[in-house]
Amino acid sequence: MQTRYIIAVFLSLWLHTVYALDPLPSWNEGANKKSIIEFVAAVTNKSNPQYVSPEDRIATFDNDGTLWLEQPMYTQVMFAISRVKTLAPQHPEWKTQKPFSDILSGNTKALANISHDDLEKIVAETHSGMSVEDFIKIVQDWLASARDPHYGRQYTQLIYQPMLEVMNYLRANDFKIYIVTGGGQDFVRAFAPQTYGVVTAQIIGTAMKTNYMFVGDQPKLIRQPQVLLYSNYSGKAEAIDLFIGKKPIIAFGNSDGDRQMLEWTQANKKAHLMLLVHHDDAKREYAYGPNSPVGRFSNSLMQEALKNHWRLISMKDDWKVIFPLDKK
Amino acid sequence: MQTRYIIAVFLSLWLHTVYALDPLPSWNEGANKKSIIEFVAAVTNKSNPQYVSPEDRIATFDNDGTLWLEQPMYTQVMFAISRVKTLAPQHPEWKTQKPFSDILSGNTKALANISHDDLEKIVAETHSGMSVEDFIKIVQDWLASARDPHYGRQYTQLIYQPMLEVMNYLRANDFKIYIVTGGGQDFVRAFAPQTYGVVTAQIIGTAMKTNYMFVGDQPKLIRQPQVLLYSNYSGKAEAIDLFIGKKPIIAFGNSDGDRQMLEWTQANKKAHLMLLVHHDDAKREYAYGPNSPVGRFSNSLMQEALKNHWRLISMKDDWKVIFPLDKK
């Protein structure tokens, strides 16, 4: 026990040295930054009534619009469109089949208003038939070469620096960081470990069914054109229980699909904090809300957020920089 | 870095003190104990070509027959039978409906040969309609009062002491311990955190669909009479990928349902070790194999195990004690 005590003292001294520095340097001083820091201070302080033991320090983050950009279109949809073009020579029938024909003819107006069912058709055709590991390689290759049309940068560079700092800060305080995305679980697993430092087991998303089979003498999991579980809206709370089995104590979202995740967090009997990133920065990023088909932040979500005192993070006012490359 | 170095030295000294002791005291000396200890030594030694970094040290354990007893009948089936009896007054129709009528009339011969479909009917009726947290409370209350018919002990006392030691040993060597059970995920989550020290997020099992809804002003997840995913046979490999996203490097099973989990582990390009508990101890526990409907260890599994050099753990020869209460 003596040695253990000495370790604890050294560890404690070392952590104090590290965190005497501002843990959220890209956040402007204000009520939101203060709320995060005070929450972390409270739940990690054993003599505080709000103390939460490390195994219950579950943090969940939405991905699209919360950790990285989602405008003018979700990155995974950009990927699916690119896949349709790549695979078109093997599918001559797509030339006359909607929604594939709209993609191949460049009918951007039709694509802007694409329905959920049509998106699902595209995903089913382009995201299945290969092994999980082959799919992840396809996504990684695409992410390495694709560029966002507005900034001309790789998508993995268009992540939010202030949110990276929140993830690091929580991690340093023994929180377990989960990504709970409405996007494809394997799509996000293809880049999030390297990009955010989150291991695959802590990346939860909409998942396709897979089938176990031998290809030659090696077992493979082959992706099927069938959704096993949706991780959006109510599906986020359901997936959190399925994968984690505990309610989060802190959750970050930005749109209607995150509502139930925040409600589920609010239902935690332990201390909890709910936050929504509000895209109100037309100059540095985008400003959008109830009328955006991508990342809709409806009026009813806003009402619920205000009623429940969920914190609204203003990109314009709270964040000094948006992307890591903007850091001085 | 200086402080970090000092911490590392102290930590290392402390671990050496702890593990100079035998990490597997309930195991007899022999090839199996040796294989586990040598494997752990190899994958944790940075200068060994078999070294595996901590984030890839994934260990998966089956539950029934691997971590606790499964004879004369799976514990969850005993629970389901008890639930049928408890709920019978609310279901007068069960008196004449098979398989419920067999349970209520005590037709043990029919129950011994119950079909998979009938079991599913019983589970659907007795494991759904309540919230996840209410279900977990029901299981915990049952486990607190129920006694195994043979030993007259609580089921949570009928866990295998040598396997507890393996879990602790791996944990101390920075392995992440997962339970991957064919049994119900929430059934196992009701006791495994306290019984084995494994957090809910690392307990994977056959899962029922849940529906998110408000009951009064509180959101609840209500269990539906519908299986979302099976975690047995091929479903174990599929679930490991869904929940973990990495192949295990060490896996323990005991029956046909674990075969694909061991194949999946064997397909790992990193160092790996596969082991099967063989129930060959009629005196202290049970001896069963290809002819047992519960925990079947078929001849074809045995052939595959021998061909692939999976290690066969003999309860009779390898284990000094079976249950924690047997320890001197």
Side-chain angles (χ1 to χ4, degrees):
Chain A
M1 292 312 281
Q2 186 61 15
T3 319
R4 252 175 156 163
Y5 176 76
I6 295 167
I7 294 167
V9 169
F10 273 111
L11 201 59
S12 159
L13 284 172
W14 174 63
L15 286 173
H16 273 91
T17 313
V18 173
Y19 288 95
L21 302 169
D22 182 352
L24 303 175
S26 298
W27 289 69
N28 287 314
E29 300 308 320
N32 285 328
K33 177 172 180 171
K34 196 163 167 253
S35 77
I36 297 170
I37 291 176
E38 286 182 352
F39 179 75
V40 171
V43 301
T44 56
N45 177 357
K46 279 197 179 170
S47 55
N48 190 304
Q50 294 212 295
Y51 177 75
V52 175
S53 58
E55 67 270 23
D56 292 322
R57 291 185 204 153
I58 307 291
T60 56
F61 292 81
D62 167 58
N63 184 46
D64 292 307
T66 299
L67 293 179
W68 76 352
L69 117 163
E70 63 185 353
Q71 293 285 357
M73 181 45 83
Y74 300 114
T75 305
Q76 193 177 357
V77 175
M78 301 300 281
F79 165 74
I81 288 173
S82 158
R83 287 289 293 161
V84 168
K85 291 177 183 167
T86 304
L87 297 172
Q90 297 154 49
H91 293 272
E93 73 281 9
W94 285 354
K95 273 187 199 148
T96 53
Q97 268 177 13
K98 280 183 179 278
F100 303 98
S101 55
D102 286 332
I103 292 172
L104 296 174
S105 67
N107 184 348
T108 50
K109 201 177 154 192
L111 285 179
N113 293 297
I114 193 165
S115 70
H116 184 83
D117 282 358
D118 276 348
L119 257 185
E120 214 170 280
K121 261 185 223 164
I122 294 171
V123 168
E125 285 282 345
T126 57
H127 287 53
S128 70
M130 70 293 277
S131 71
V132 171
E133 59 192 320
D134 284 349
F135 177 73
I136 283 175
K137 181 75 170 53
I138 290 167
V139 175
Q140 288 171 337
D141 289 347
W142 181 80
L143 283 171
S145 66
R147 294 292 180 280
D148 163 77
H150 179 71
Y151 296 94
R153 291 181 186 166
Q154 287 187 308
Y155 289 99
T156 49
Q157 295 176 324
L158 298 170
I159 58 179
Y160 303 136
Q161 173 64 26
M163 296 303 289
L164 288 181
E165 292 169 6
V166 170
M167 285 196 281
N168 284 336
Y169 177 45
L170 294 178
R171 208 178 272 125
N173 282 283
D174 295 327
F175 282 67
K176 211 162 191 183
I177 309 292
Y178 284 88
I179 294 173
V180 183
T181 176
Q185 181 167 289
D186 285 334
F187 183 83
V188 177
R189 283 180 176 181
F191 68 90
Q194 307 84 313
T195 303
Y196 307 128
V198 177
V199 295
T200 50
Q202 287 160 229
I203 298 167
I204 301 169
T206 295
M208 309 291 275
K209 197 176 151 26
T210 62
N211 279 356
Y212 180 85
M213 58 182 74
F214 271 82
V215 178
D217 63 351
Q218 286 298 308
K220 300 279 178 192
L221 289 170
I222 306 299
R223 292 170 57 88
Q224 304 300 306
Q226 188 191 331
V227 172
L228 175 68
L229 58 94
Y230 277 107
S231 169
N232 215 3
Y233 300 96
S234 297
K236 286 212 178 186
E238 292 157 13
I240 286 169
D241 187 64
L242 179 71
F243 284 81
I244 310 175
K246 287 180 182 176
K247 293 189 178 90
I249 64 167
I250 186 167
F252 291 81
N254 78 301
S255 71
D256 286 8
D258 302 316
R259 177 184 220 151
Q260 288 83 352
M261 175 168 77
L262 270 61
E263 290 171 349
W264 195 238
T265 305
Q266 183 174 273
N268 197 331
K269 289 186 185 113
K270 301 180 197 299
H272 47 259
L273 184 62
M274 291 70 62
L275 307 99
L276 287 167
V277 174
H278 197 209
H279 293 262
D280 58 359
D281 193 335
K283 206 171 150 197
R284 295 185 299 174
E285 205 233 16
Y286 293 92
Y288 56 99
N291 300 318
S292 174
V294 170
R296 177 176 287 121
F297 191 132
S298 67
N299 291 327
S300 87
L301 176 61
M302 183 61 89
Q303 281 164 17
E304 185 167 345
L306 295 173
K307 193 188 93 187
N308 291 315
H309 306 289
W310 297 349
R311 300 214 69 91
L312 290 172
I313 298 165
S314 161
M315 289 182 85
K316 187 156 65 76
D317 298 332
D318 283 316
W319 290 0
K320 281 185 197 162
V321 297
I322 308 290
F323 305 118
L325 289 175
D326 301 336
K327 272 195 305 182
K328 273 163 221 149
Chain B
M1 289 312 281
Q2 186 62 14
T3 319
R4 252 175 156 163
Y5 176 74
I6 296 168
I7 294 167
V9 169
F10 274 110
L11 200 60
S12 160
L13 283 172
W14 174 64
L15 287 173
H16 272 93
T17 312
V18 174
Y19 288 95
L21 302 168
D22 182 351
L24 302 175
S26 298
W27 289 68
N28 287 313
E29 300 308 319
N32 285 329
K33 177 173 180 170
K34 195 163 169 256
S35 77
I36 297 170
I37 291 175
E38 286 182 352
F39 179 75
V40 171
V43 300
T44 56
N45 177 356
K46 278 197 179 171
S47 54
N48 190 304
Q50 294 212 295
Y51 176 75
V52 175
S53 58
E55 67 270 23
D56 291 322
R57 290 183 205 154
I58 308 291
T60 56
F61 293 81
D62 168 57
N63 183 45
D64 293 306
T66 299
L67 294 180
W68 77 352
L69 119 162
E70 62 184 354
Q71 292 286 356
M73 181 44 83
Y74 300 114
T75 305
Q76 193 177 357
V77 175
M78 302 301 279
F79 165 74
I81 288 172
S82 159
R83 287 289 293 161
V84 168
K85 292 177 182 166
T86 303
L87 296 172
Q90 297 154 50
H91 292 273
E93 73 282 7
W94 285 354
K95 274 186 197 147
T96 53
Q97 267 178 13
K98 281 186 182 277
F100 302 98
S101 55
D102 287 332
I103 292 173
L104 296 175
S105 67
N107 184 348
T108 49
K109 200 177 156 192
L111 285 180
N113 293 298
I114 193 164
S115 71
H116 183 82
D117 282 358
D118 276 348
L119 257 185
E120 214 170 281
K121 262 184 223 163
I122 294 171
V123 168
E125 286 281 345
T126 58
H127 287 51
S128 70
M130 70 293 277
S131 71
V132 171
E133 59 191 322
D134 286 348
F135 177 74
I136 284 176
K137 181 74 171 48
I138 291 167
V139 175
Q140 288 172 338
D141 289 347
W142 181 80
L143 283 171
S145 66
R147 295 291 180 281
D148 163 77
H150 179 70
Y151 295 93
R153 291 182 187 165
Q154 287 186 308
Y155 289 99
T156 49
Q157 295 176 325
L158 298 170
I159 57 179
Y160 303 136
Q161 173 63 27
M163 295 304 287
L164 288 181
E165 292 168 6
V166 170
M167 284 196 283
N168 284 335
Y169 177 44
L170 294 178
R171 209 178 272 125
N173 281 282
D174 294 328
F175 282 68
K176 210 163 192 183
I177 308 293
Y178 285 88
I179 294 173
V180 183
T181 176
Q185 180 166 291
D186 286 333
F187 183 82
V188 177
R189 283 181 175 180
F191 67 90
Q194 306 86 310
T195 304
Y196 306 127
V198 177
V199 296
T200 50
Q202 286 159 230
I203 299 167
I204 301 168
T206 294
M208 309 290 275
K209 196 176 152 26
T210 62
N211 278 355
Y212 180 85
M213 57 183 75
F214 270 83
V215 178
D217 63 350
Q218 288 297 308
K220 300 279 177 192
L221 289 170
I222 306 299
R223 291 169 59 89
Q224 304 300 304
Q226 187 191 331
V227 172
L228 175 69
L229 57 94
Y230 278 107
S231 169
N232 215 4
Y233 301 95
S234 296
K236 287 212 179 187
E238 292 158 12
I240 286 169
D241 187 64
L242 180 69
F243 283 81
I244 310 175
K246 287 179 182 178
K247 294 189 178 89
I249 65 167
I250 185 167
F252 291 81
N254 78 301
S255 71
D256 286 9
D258 302 316
R259 176 183 221 151
Q260 289 83 353
M261 175 168 78
L262 270 60
E263 290 172 349
W264 195 237
T265 305
Q266 183 174 274
N268 197 331
K269 289 187 185 113
K270 302 180 197 298
H272 48 259
L273 184 62
M274 291 70 63
L275 307 98
L276 287 166
V277 174
H278 197 208
H279 293 260
D280 58 0
D281 193 335
K283 206 171 151 198
R284 296 185 299 175
E285 206 235 15
Y286 293 92
Y288 55 98
N291 300 317
S292 174
V294 170
R296 176 175 289 121
F297 191 132
S298 66
N299 291 326
S300 87
L301 175 61
M302 183 60 89
Q303 282 165 17
E304 185 166 345
L306 295 173
K307 193 187 92 186
N308 291 316
H309 307 289
W310 296 348
R311 301 214 70 91
L312 290 171
I313 298 166
S314 162
M315 288 182 86
K316 187 155 64 75
D317 298 332
D318 283 316
W319 291 359
K320 283 185 196 161
V321 296
I322 308 290
F323 305 117
L325 289 175
D326 302 336
K327 271 195 306 181
K328 275 164 218 150

